[in-house]
């Protein structure tokens, strides 16, 4: 982790849980999650989320198309920079190869015992310069035994979110099995919409005045 005073940085994202900075220049760039800008009353939760991300990235070490953990000191979480555009910025329209590769990548992540838990956001899916997918933002990730029932359920929800994106951008390529997965809603999804999501909306929109608008932070 580089704490040098001569670092240059640009803000990529800012919200109530801190700032995401692009640090350095040229080939030496990396991404920093800075908790120093977090309000005092949210620092404990922001620290908890950063710990989750650090743990997941440590498990992913060496897996292509995912960030590499560079360091975590309780305030700054540094990870490798991955060049590419968010899915909504460079839509993979009709790109069957992209979604095949995305499913393989997701399977590899799940084999490491990680469920991402935030793949409904197109901002967390990158379309890289070579057209291949990458995954970022693991602060909501869950780590566990890949074959555990709970982890398999979470992995299935990850897959459903990927298939929703495929239905948006490449609907003709959906297989009959994928269509069945999309139609079958788990109890976890139903419980979230009935209980968790209303609480989430109240906290983010009423208390924090923050709209989850592809990571662009609070709206004025």
């Amino acid at each position: 982790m580089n704490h040098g005073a001569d670092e240059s940085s640009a803000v990529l994202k800012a919200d109530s849980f801190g700032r995401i900075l692009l640090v350095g220049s040229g080939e030496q760039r990396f991404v920093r999650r800075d908790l120093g800008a977090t309000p005092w009353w949210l620092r404990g939760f922001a620290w908890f989320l950063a710990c989750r991300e650090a743990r997941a990235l440590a498990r992913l070490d060496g897996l292509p198309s995912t960030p590499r953990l560079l360091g975590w000191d309780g305030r700054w979480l540094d990870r490798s920079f991955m060049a590419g555009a968010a899915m909504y910025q460079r839509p993979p329209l009709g790109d069957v190869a992209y979604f095949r590769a995305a499913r393989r990548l997701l399977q590899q992540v799940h084999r490491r015992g990680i469920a991402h838990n935030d793949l409904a956001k197109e901002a967390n899916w990158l379309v890289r310069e070579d057209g291949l997918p990458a995954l970022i933002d693991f602060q909501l990730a869950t780590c566990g035994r890949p074959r555990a029932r709970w982890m398999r359920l979470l992995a299935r929800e990850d897959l459903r979110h990927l298939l929703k994106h495929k239905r948006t951008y490449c609907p003709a390529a959906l297989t009959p099995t994928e269509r069945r997965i999309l139609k079958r809603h788990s109890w976890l999804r139903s419980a979230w919409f009935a209980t968790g999501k209303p609480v989430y909306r109240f906290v983010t929109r009423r208390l924090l005045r923050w709209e989850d608008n592809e990571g662009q932070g609070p709206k004025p």
Side-chain angles (χ1 to χ4, degrees):
M1 182 180 293
N2 185 359
H3 290 190
D6 58 346
E7 292 174 348
S8 61
S9 63
V11 177
L12 299 177
K13 169 184 170 181
D15 59 31
S16 302
F17 300 109
R19 297 183 303 167
I20 305 297
L21 308 173
L22 180 59
V23 183
S25 60
E27 297 294 323
Q28 304 302 316
R29 292 181 295 175
F30 63 93
V31 176
R32 168 169 293 165
R33 184 182 297 278
D34 180 9
L35 273 60
T38 308
W40 65 268
W41 55 283
L42 281 175
R43 281 179 191 162
F45 187 54
W47 178 87
F48 171 73
L49 294 178
C51 286
R52 289 176 73 105
E53 183 169 23
R55 183 184 179 196
L57 294 183
R59 281 204 183 197
L60 290 170
D61 188 43
L63 182 63
S65 299
T66 61
R68 184 164 51 90
L69 179 66
L70 302 179
W72 163 236
D73 66 0
R75 172 183 170 176
W76 289 345
L77 188 152
D78 292 349
R79 61 172 173 83
S80 59
F81 171 71
M82 304 189 69
M87 183 186 283
Y88 70 95
Q89 295 172 324
R90 185 182 169 188
L93 290 168
D95 192 344
V96 178
Y98 177 88
F99 286 101
R100 278 203 196 111
R103 184 158 184 172
R104 286 195 299 269
L105 172 59
L106 196 53
Q107 288 170 339
Q108 292 172 326
V109 169
H110 292 158
R111 289 191 191 112
R112 297 283 183 110
I114 299 165
H116 188 286
N117 296 329
D118 202 19
L119 294 183
K121 290 183 185 176
E122 294 189 16
N124 292 339
W125 286 99
L126 294 186
V127 182
R128 306 195 70 182
E129 294 171 345
D130 57 7
L132 292 175
L135 285 174
I136 59 172
D137 196 354
F138 284 81
Q139 64 176 339
L140 296 183
T142 299
C143 297
R145 292 184 297 108
R147 300 301 301 168
R149 184 176 181 182
W150 176 246
M151 291 299 295
R152 292 203 309 269
L153 182 61
L154 293 176
R156 188 178 182 85
E157 287 302 298
D158 277 354
L159 176 58
R160 285 188 71 256
H161 288 307
L162 171 60
L163 294 181
K164 285 182 179 180
H165 298 314
K166 185 176 180 179
R167 182 174 61 191
T168 298
Y169 294 115
C170 203
L174 283 171
T175 67
T177 298
E178 290 172 340
R179 293 182 187 279
R180 284 196 296 272
I181 292 172
L182 283 169
K183 289 179 180 178
R184 191 178 304 134
H185 297 158
S186 72
W187 67 264
L188 181 65
R189 176 186 180 277
S190 300
W192 166 250
F193 274 89
T195 59
K197 193 158 188 177
V199 174
Y200 171 82
R201 282 177 170 168
F202 175 79
V203 171
T204 57
R205 298 182 183 183
R206 296 291 184 87
L207 299 183
L208 303 180
R209 295 194 306 109
W210 176 59
E211 292 282 350
D212 193 3
N213 56 333
E214 299 298 354
Q216 296 173 25
K219 289 183 177 179

